[in-house]
Amino acid sequence: MAMNSKLLLLFVLAVVFSCRSTDALKVKATRIQFYMHDVISGPNPTAVRVAGPDNSTTSPNATAAMFGSIYMMDNPLTVTPSPNSTVVGRAQGIYGMSSQNEFSLLMSLTVGFISGPYNGSTFSVLGRNPIMSDVREMPVVGGTGIFRLARGYCLAKTHSMAGFDAIIGYNVTLLHY
């Protein structure tokens, strides 16, 4: 009898703890929109070329001439496309010109929030970005803080360009716990 009571108590505790842990594992969906300012020119660039082919090489094909160029970035993220808009975070990482036939980047970046409801949280993007396409989709491969174990995708759309400087709108959908 005592053994049956102990087994019943153990079973009840297992059910209670499994119910509590499944509540904590419910997937949440978050949608975020912001603008990334990628500035290569001027006195205060936010992205700098750190490797690539010799710039003195001339080629009739500009895309092929840029192939292999690697850039490090620390780009501000704002609420609106205006450079004077509120900065909500930074996109830090690396991108490289990954195609000889089209303007396409291989991007590895981490979006880190510095204000607002996501302050201190991050998510990471890793994927191909064919920058001349109207809308580009890239995968979200992880995150920290509120976005721990995040997965999802971001849709990038160029808002404006001046030379190689660009303002890119991001619409991000994150699934996280």
Side-chain angles (χ1 to χ4, degrees), residues 87-119:
V87 175
V88 294
R90 310 288 300 183
Q92 298 173 325
I94 188 169
Y95 60 86
M97 302 296 190
S98 60
S99 176
Q100 295 183 49
N101 303 315
E102 67 175 327
F103 281 116
S104 182
L105 307 175
L106 174 61
M107 299 186 68
S108 173
L109 65 96
T110 296
V111 171
F113 292 94
I114 59 172
S115 67
Y118 312 121
N119 185 25

Side-chain angles (χ1 to χ4, degrees), residues 133-146:
S133 295
D134 187 39
V135 176
R136 291 90 66 191
E137 182 176 345
M138 292 170 282
V140 171
V141 296
T144 66
I146 293 170

Side-chain angles (χ1 to χ4, degrees), residues 2-174:
M3 183 61 132
N4 287 342
S5 296
K6 288 180 182 178
L7 285 173
L8 180 61
L9 178 61
L10 189 59
F11 176 74
V12 168
L13 287 174
V15 169
V16 167
F17 283 114
S18 69
C19 290
R20 291 185 67 196
S21 64
T22 57
D23 285 343
L25 293 178
K26 285 188 179 174
V27 176
K28 300 172 188 90
T30 301
R31 289 178 179 78
I32 306 169
Q33 180 179 351
F34 54 82
Y35 293 85
M36 181 176 80
H37 300 261
D38 190 50
V39 179
I40 295 173
S41 66
N44 297 310
T46 62
V48 295
R49 185 171 175 256
V50 296
D54 182 2
N55 280 341
S56 64
T57 304
T58 59
S59 170
N61 181 343
T63 305
M66 294 179 67
F67 174 68
S69 295
I70 307 294
Y71 293 80
M72 291 297 299
M73 72 172 144
D74 183 11
N75 294 336
L77 307 174
T78 60
V79 174
T80 72
S82 169
N84 298 321
S85 178
T86 302
V87 175
V88 294
R90 310 288 300 183
Q92 298 173 325
I94 188 169
Y95 60 86
M97 302 296 190
S98 60
S99 176
Q100 295 183 49
N101 303 315
E102 67 175 327
F103 281 116
S104 182
L105 307 175
L106 174 61
M107 299 186 68
S108 173
L109 65 96
T110 296
V111 171
F113 292 94
I114 59 172
S115 67
Y118 312 121
N119 185 25
S121 296
T122 70
F123 65 84
S124 295
V125 175
L126 175 65
R128 182 175 177 272
N129 182 354
I131 58 179
M132 299 310 284
S133 295
D134 187 39
V135 176
R136 291 90 66 191
E137 182 176 345
M138 292 170 282
V140 171
V141 296
T144 66
I146 293 170
F147 303 126
R148 184 174 294 142
L149 298 176
R151 62 188 189 276
Y153 63 96
C154 58
L155 299 175
K157 183 174 183 172
T158 301
H159 178 269
S160 63
M161 283 190 77
F164 284 106
D165 295 347
I167 299 172
I168 302 100
Y170 276 81
N171 286 300
V172 183
T173 300
L174 298 167

